[in-house]
Amino acid sequence: MDRASLTTEYLSRVTENGAKAADLIGRLPESEMLRAFYKATYLSRPVFLGHAERVQAFGDVSTIMGALSRLPDLLFGGDFAAFARATGLTEPQVAAAVRGRGAAMTRQARADLFVQDNQFKLLELNIGSSIGGMDNADICRGLLEHPLLAEFAADRNLGYVDTLREQVNNVLVESGFQPGDRPVVALTDWPANFDNEAAYMRLLCERWRGIGLEAHPCHVGQLQVRDGRVWLEDKPVDIVFRTFTISQIVDRPELFDPVLNAAERGEVKIFTPLDTAAYASKGALAMLSDEENRGLFSAEELASVDRLLPWTRMVRPGQVTLEGGERVDLLQHAVDNRHELVLKPTSLYGNRGVVLGWTAGLTAEEWREQVVAAFDAPFVLQRRVRPTAELFPDENGDLQPWNVLWGMFSVVNGYGGANTRAIKAEWGDVVMNRAHGIHSGPALSELCAPDA
C-alpha cells in the first residue's frame, strides 16, 4: 500500500468509530519528557508510509548524503577548507570546522521534506548532534495505546524505528565504542541556552542511561580540562555530545577551545564533529543542484537529486541555469519569479532569516532588495515546494487539513524512522514555527512489502 491509501483507510476507521483528537492522543500530555520539548502539542494521528515509498524516499536521502560526503574531493581536490568556505561558512567557522573534522561525515541526519504531487521534496538536510525529534518513537508508542490505531497497525503490518535507541548507537559507533562499554557522555549546551533546555536534557539523559550511555546534562562552561582528561565535576568525560552550533563556538572560542584541544590530543570524543556545519549547509545542496556539476555524479546520484532536490542556487551576481537548461540572470529571474522562490541563509537554523517570495505584504521592491543584500552574505535561492495537505481528526472528530513537514532520519544502521511537524492548512504556505501553532507526531510505515 502507499501513503494515501493507508491514510484513507485509517481515517475511515476513525470516522466510523467517532474518535476525537483527545481520545487518540491518550496519555501523551502526561509524559514529562515529551511535554518539556513539545509543550503537549501533538498531532492526533501518525502519518503513514508504504514500504516501497519508504525505500525510495530514504534511498534518495541516503544517496544524496553520500554525494554530499564526496563534495570536498569532487569539487575542491580534497581541500576541506575550500569546500567549507564555498558552503558559506565564515573564516573563523572554517578554521573551527577544519580543526574539528571527523574521520568521515556523520550518518546522523534528518531530511526535512514536503510531499508535493505525491513526491517527496527535500527542503534542507539537518546533519549532526543538534537535530531534534529523535524521541519520536515515544509519541508513536503513546498513540499506539489507542486500540483503534493498534489494530490498524497490526492489520497493515505497520511499525516504527526506535530513533532514540538508534541515536545512542550512533554515539557509540561513531565515537569508537562498543555496545556495553557505557561511556560517560556530557550532553552539552551553550551557557545562554542551558536554563531553557535543562529540564529536557535531564530527562533525556535519564532515558539514555537506560539504553547504554552514562549521560549527564551540562553547559560547556562546566567542563574542565585537566590531568589528560575532560571532566564534568568529578566525572571523567569520554564523549562531549554537543547541542550547540559552530557559530556559538566562534563567538566565544575561549569556552570551547580547551575541549577542542583535548579532542585533538585524543583525550575526548566530540559528537558530532564540527565539520557537520559545512555538510549541513544549504550551500552544499546548491552544489548538488548546480547544472555545472552534473558531470561529476553517478547516474544513481543524479536520479536521486532530480527526484528529491528542488532547484537550489547560491545567491551570486551573474547567470544561472534553470531546470530546463535555459541560462538566465539570477537577479532578474528572482525578481520575475518571486512567488515561486524562497530565500534562505545557508547555515542558520530554526527558519531564521528565511524570506518567502510569496509572503503577503512583501512588495516586489522589498523582495528585490532582500535578494540584492544576499549577494554579500551566504544565502541560497530555492524553488518553492507546495505541500500536499493531510487530514487529521480534531477535537470534535471532524477531519481538518494540515500542512505536514516530514523529518526522515538517517542513522548508522540506515533508515532511522520519521517524525512530523505540521500547522493547520488555513495558515497557508508559511514558515512553520510555534507562532503558527506547530504540532508534532511520528510516522508508521509498512515493515515489509505486502506480498513479501
Side-chain angles (χ1 to χ4, degrees), residues 239-258:
I239 302 168
V240 174
F241 186 111
R242 65 179 184 92
T243 63
F244 49 88
T245 66
I246 197 169
S247 61
Q248 291 170 308
I249 293 171
V250 300
D251 285 344
R252 294 191 62 188
E254 73 280 2
L255 284 180
F256 194 64
D257 263 359

Side-chain angles (χ1 to χ4, degrees), residues 135 164 202 226 434:
D135 49 13
L164 197 66
R202 173 178 57 81
R226 65 177 188 272
R434 297 252 174 228

Side-chain angles (χ1 to χ4, degrees), residues 237-402:
V237 175
D238 298 305
I239 302 168
V240 174
F241 186 111
R242 65 179 184 92
T243 63
F244 49 88
T245 66
I246 197 169
S247 61
Q248 291 170 308
I249 293 171
V250 300
D251 285 344
R252 294 191 62 188
E254 73 280 2
L255 284 180
F256 194 64
D257 263 359
V259 176
L260 189 53
N261 291 336
E264 290 180 308
R265 294 191 298 266
E267 297 168 0
V268 73
K269 298 288 187 179
I270 298 174
F271 185 85
T272 51
L274 303 187
D275 59 358
T276 57
Y279 291 117
S281 169
K282 299 172 191 70
L285 292 182
M287 295 176 195
L288 294 183
S289 175
D290 196 329
E291 182 77 21
E292 294 183 3
N293 297 332
R294 289 182 69 87
L296 300 174
F297 302 112
S298 69
E300 179 187 13
E301 288 170 333
L302 291 175
S304 291
V305 167
D306 291 342
R307 275 191 297 265
L308 203 66
L309 185 59
W311 182 89
T312 306
R313 293 293 186 276
M314 289 292 290
V315 179
R316 297 285 185 268
Q319 295 216 322
V320 293
T321 304
L322 301 182
E323 294 93 327
E326 180 185 0
R327 297 281 291 173
V328 297
D329 179 75
L330 182 139
L331 177 58
Q332 192 61 51
H333 178 71
V335 169
D336 293 343
N337 297 275
R338 70 182 180 94
H339 290 99
E340 298 300 322
L341 295 169
V342 55
L343 185 66
K344 298 180 177 182
T346 56
S347 297
L348 294 182
Y349 59 94
N351 294 316
R352 291 186 301 160
V354 173
V355 182
L356 308 178
W358 58 92
T359 300
L362 179 70
T363 68
E365 183 56 32
E366 289 169 338
W367 167 255
R368 187 183 190 282
E369 290 173 357
Q370 294 271 14
V371 176
V372 170
F375 285 150
D376 297 320
F379 276 78
V380 298
L381 275 173
Q382 189 174 77
R383 185 75 66 214
R384 178 182 186 177
V385 180
R386 289 177 166 82
T388 301
E390 295 222 18
L391 297 175
F392 293 79
D394 68 7
E395 61 275 9
N396 299 313
D398 298 324
L399 301 181
Q400 302 295 340
W402 291 65

Side-chain angles (χ1 to χ4, degrees), residues 137-290:
D138 284 11
I139 305 179
C140 210
R141 279 188 283 267
L143 293 176
L144 281 166
E145 289 183 1
H146 196 289
L148 189 64
L149 180 60
E151 181 180 341
F152 179 70
D155 289 346
R156 292 303 176 199
N157 194 30
L158 303 176
Y160 61 93
V161 175
D162 191 330
T163 313
L164 197 66
R165 287 184 177 274
E166 293 294 337
Q167 182 182 46
V168 167
N169 185 64
N170 292 345
V171 175
L172 291 171
V173 172
E174 294 192 352
S175 301
F177 291 89
Q178 299 294 322
D181 284 349
R182 293 194 65 83
V184 175
V185 177
L187 176 59
T188 311
D189 208 335
W190 206 247
N193 302 337
F194 184 67
D195 286 345
N196 289 334
E197 303 297 332
Y200 177 76
M201 293 171 68
R202 173 178 57 81
L203 294 164
L204 179 60
C205 285
E206 289 178 7
R207 290 293 305 282
W208 280 356
R209 285 196 289 271
I211 50 178
L213 302 177
E214 188 58 45
H216 306 274
C218 67
H219 63 71
V220 69
Q222 294 174 305
L223 298 175
Q224 295 183 338
V225 179
R226 65 177 188 272
D227 303 326
R229 296 296 300 269
V230 173
W231 298 80
L232 176 60
E233 297 176 341
D234 60 345
K235 293 179 282 291
V237 175
D238 298 305
I239 302 168
V240 174
F241 186 111
R242 65 179 184 92
T243 63
F244 49 88
T245 66
I246 197 169
S247 61
Q248 291 170 308
I249 293 171
V250 300
D251 285 344
R252 294 191 62 188
E254 73 280 2
L255 284 180
F256 194 64
D257 263 359
V259 176
L260 189 53
N261 291 336
E264 290 180 308
R265 294 191 298 266
E267 297 168 0
V268 73
K269 298 288 187 179
I270 298 174
F271 185 85
T272 51
L274 303 187
D275 59 358
T276 57
Y279 291 117
S281 169
K282 299 172 191 70
L285 292 182
M287 295 176 195
L288 294 183
S289 175
D290 196 329

